[in-house]
Amino acid sequence: MTETSANTTGVYVGLHDLIALEHRGRKVSFLPRQPVHSLLSGRFASRMRGRGLNFEEIRDYRPGDDVRSIDWKVTARLRKPHIRVFNEERDRQTILVVDQRLSMFFGSRHAMKSVTAAEAAAIGAWRVLGVGDRIGAVVFNDRDCIEVRARRSRATVLQILAAVVTQNQALGVGRGLVSAPTMLNTALDHARRRAPHDAAVIIIRRF
């Protein structure tokens, strides 16, 4: 199937369409909306790009230090207040799980759910790359799961988009496709194996 014939507006999506969404990726954010000094502030409420805290050292307590960082075990052992010092993480791995099964091949007059999912995946991938993080994906249909290892490169985003387009353009009625609801579990299992403990997993499917 060629790019021209497959790229029927709203029914199928083409690679050029997904590449063209790069500018829209600059307008979205996966960071929390509340300000740092809100009542809900804490490690994960920050607007800063850091995605968590890595332990760096234990040192003696100094005036102005956050008392919540006091290490009570060390303090009790040394009989002098000590705190745990952390540094901010500047990198986070994101895994996209993109559903392109037959159950996604329906929608409104605007677009099929499968097309909307493909576009959302593209915007998300471009956004993650744009902030300098690693992006990977598990793209699945009723037959296969395509895994793309997380990397910080434009080539990786293009690899993800190509996988999405391939599965998107394979959809259709009368093509011998059989719905496989359990493929979602298979895809999530693939994502679980790919994602470290601090990764973000974004699932793009209809609910």
Side-chain angles (χ1 to χ4, degrees):
M1 186 177 298
T2 65
E3 176 82 9
T4 302
S5 62
N7 189 19
T8 304
T9 302
V11 180
Y12 294 104
V13 71
L15 183 58
H16 292 302
D17 300 313
L18 300 185
I19 293 174
L21 292 173
E22 182 174 1
H23 72 284
R24 292 184 60 182
R26 305 188 189 105
K27 301 178 182 179
V28 300
S29 175
F30 298 132
L31 297 182
R33 291 180 179 273
Q34 62 265 34
V36 173
H37 299 296
S38 74
L39 292 176
L40 299 178
S41 63
R43 283 196 208 172
F44 303 103
S46 175
R47 288 183 182 273
M48 296 178 66
R49 275 199 53 231
R51 308 302 205 273
L53 299 174
N54 284 328
F55 173 72
E56 185 174 290
E57 64 175 347
I58 293 179
R59 63 166 172 80
D60 59 306
Y61 178 84
R62 301 167 189 169
D65 286 338
D66 189 342
V67 295
R68 293 176 298 179
S69 299
I70 292 178
D71 188 308
W72 295 107
K73 291 183 179 180
V74 175
T75 296
R77 186 168 65 251
L78 299 179
R79 299 182 181 277
K80 184 179 180 181
H82 282 71
I83 66 168
R84 298 173 68 88
V85 178
F86 298 86
N87 58 45
E88 186 185 11
E89 292 181 7
R90 291 289 176 174
D91 176 75
R92 189 181 194 181
Q93 177 172 316
T94 298
I95 302 294
L96 300 176
V97 181
V98 189
D99 191 348
Q100 288 293 303
R101 291 176 296 170
L102 188 60
S103 59
M104 298 286 287
F105 196 66
F106 79 99
S108 64
R109 288 183 295 177
H110 174 67
M112 293 290 193
K113 299 295 183 182
S114 52
V115 170
T116 301
E119 292 173 345
I123 292 171
W126 288 124
R127 176 56 183 173
V128 172
L129 180 66
V131 297
D133 287 346
R134 289 170 292 153
I135 181 68
V138 177
V139 186
F140 70 103
N141 57 19
D142 294 291
R143 296 175 179 172
D144 303 303
C145 281
I146 301 175
E147 292 187 49
V148 179
R149 183 179 177 182
R151 296 183 180 87
R152 190 185 298 104
S153 71
R154 186 179 181 85
T156 299
V157 173
L158 295 178
Q159 186 180 356
I160 293 170
L161 301 187
V164 171
V165 169
T166 296
Q167 292 197 352
N168 179 267
Q169 294 183 4
L171 289 171
V173 179
R175 296 186 179 183
L177 301 176
V178 179
S179 180
T182 59
M183 281 301 292
L184 174 60
N185 293 334
T186 301
L188 292 177
D189 189 53
H190 281 266
R192 179 184 59 81
R193 293 198 300 268
R194 283 286 182 185
H197 74 281
D198 58 345
V201 178
I202 300 175
I203 302 172
I204 304 175
R205 64 179 295 267
R206 73 179 184 91
F207 289 93

